[in-house]
Amino acid sequence: DVGAGCGETARFFLEHGAKKIICIESDDVCYTYLAKNSIGRPIESIHKSFALSDLDRDYDFIKMDIEGAEYFAILGMHHILSLSKPIVLMEFHPPSIRETGLDPVNVIHHMRTLGYSVSLADNGETDIDMILSETNDLYGGRNLLCVHNENQI
């Protein structure tokens, strides 16, 4: 859970069958609550600085909500995505991505070059132009569902 906030999504996943969750949160206040919410649960909380090798494991599912920095996270976890081929659910908010100096299309293209199909999680839309037009709201993004082509149902 990249951009774990206070741990509410991690708790949801645990209640729905996840066996272990690794949460990464950089915000100090959110991390304080995340650490408290992780006590007694199979949640490993990571704050701020860590080596990517600390995350070198096999993953089934990755959730990202990191305020437009998802592309940089994808680049950093290229090895994990290539080997584990986990399902990825990520917030996609073009205005936030543009604030990082990137074109939002790069996020979709990069996931596709890694062998993932990319669609809006709530309606299955796969056309890039349609995804962009449906996610360009200044006040919030939508989730992209990325499933590796080897794992299609």
Side-chain angles (χ1 to χ4, degrees), residues 96-124:
S96 295
I97 295 167
R98 286 186 193 100
E99 286 177 13
T100 70
L102 294 174
D103 183 340
V105 172
N106 292 347
V107 175
I108 297 169
H109 280 312
H110 193 72
M111 288 303 290
R112 288 181 174 167
T113 63
L114 292 173
Y116 281 82
S117 65
V118 179
S119 63
L120 285 174
D122 59 354
N123 69 10

Side-chain angles (χ1 to χ4, degrees), residues 34-143:
L34 172 62
K36 288 178 185 176
N37 288 331
S38 300
I39 295 171
R41 294 185 171 87
I43 297 175
E44 180 181 337
S45 302
I46 299 173
H47 184 49
K48 296 207 177 189
S49 298
F50 59 91
L52 284 176
S53 60
D54 293 343
L55 303 176
D56 199 13
R57 308 166 199 204
D58 193 28
Y59 296 92
D60 298 318
F61 185 83
I62 295 173
K63 174 246 152 201
M64 287 190 282
D65 181 355
I66 49 179
E67 310 308 319
E70 288 78 8
Y71 182 77
F72 301 107
I74 292 166
L75 293 178
M77 65 175 81
H78 184 276
H79 180 73
I80 291 168
L81 295 172
S82 297
L83 290 179
S84 297
K85 299 174 179 68
I87 293 171
V88 177
L89 182 69
M90 74 173 93
E91 183 183 44
F92 185 71
H93 185 236
S96 295
I97 295 167
R98 286 186 193 100
E99 286 177 13
T100 70
L102 294 174
D103 183 340
V105 172
N106 292 347
V107 175
I108 297 169
H109 280 312
H110 193 72
M111 288 303 290
R112 288 181 174 167
T113 63
L114 292 173
Y116 281 82
S117 65
V118 179
S119 63
L120 285 174
D122 59 354
N123 69 10
E125 181 61 61
T126 60
D127 179 75
I128 290 178
D129 291 330
M130 289 300 294
I131 291 172
L132 289 173
S133 71
E134 293 188 33
T135 57
N136 222 9
D137 186 327
L138 291 175
Y139 302 105
R142 304 246 311 267
N143 287 318

